[in-house]
């Protein structure tokens, strides 16, 4: 049985494993990666490991997945769909800086949307981003998400809200 949930042209998506702790810690220690994120970085690798051990995918299998580059097997960051307590599902992604500007975030975002619509039958997926995060806004727009207003989110009160509807369900 494959450890991968799904794949795209250049990426594999798999659940987090404890061995990801040093990598996710490194990702969250980069001030440029965390620049637009309203959360504290992991204090150390043990804190990252505790997070990974406690991380739970929703009962419908949604969550953030580790991104693995197919050609090298390298861990690149994460991307995925998270179901919030209000039932909304949002797209999120975070990559090591060395992978920025190569289309990986867009590819990962598109593959996650495809998975959510085709495999999970989701009717709508949202994205939340700070107005100043131009690169992430561009990714959301490239994958067909529309800016619909301000996000009403406690942890990101000034965020913009993007959305996309299931292609087959959008006109019904």
């Amino acid at each position: 049985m494959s450890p991968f949930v799904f794949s795209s042209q250049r990426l594999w998506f798999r659940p987090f494993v404890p061995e990801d702790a040093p990598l996710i810690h490194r990702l969250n220690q980069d001030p440029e990666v965390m620049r637009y994120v309203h959360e504290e970085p992991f204090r150390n690798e043990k804190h990252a490991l505790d997070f990974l051990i406690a991380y739970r995918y929703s009962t419908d299998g949604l969550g953030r997945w580790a991104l693995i580059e197919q050609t090298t097997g390298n861990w690149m960051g994460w991307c995925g769909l998270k179901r919030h307590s209000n039932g909304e599902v949002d797209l999120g992604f975070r990559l090591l800086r060395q992978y920025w500007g190569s289309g990986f975030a867009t590819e990962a975002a598109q593959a996650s949307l495809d998975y959510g619509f085709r495999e999970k039958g989701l009717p709508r997926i949202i994205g939340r981003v700070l107005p100043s995060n131009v690169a992430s806004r561009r990714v959301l727009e490239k994958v067909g998400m529309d800016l619909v207003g301000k996000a009403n989110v406690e942890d990101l009160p000034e965020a913009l809200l993007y959305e996309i509807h299931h292609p087959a369900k959008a006109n019904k």
Side-chain angles (χ1 to χ4, degrees), residues 106-123:
T106 302
E107 181 176 334
Q110 185 63 63
S112 295
L113 292 176
D114 292 346
Y115 177 78
F117 290 138
R118 288 190 193 134
E119 300 299 320
K120 299 298 179 178
L122 298 172

Side-chain angles (χ1 to χ4, degrees), residues 125-127 129 137 140-141 145-148 160-163:
I125 299 171
I126 65 168
V129 63
R137 291 180 66 187
L140 297 180
E141 291 164 3
M145 297 185 96
D146 296 315
L147 176 61
V148 294
L160 299 175
L161 177 66
Y162 283 78
E163 71 176 6

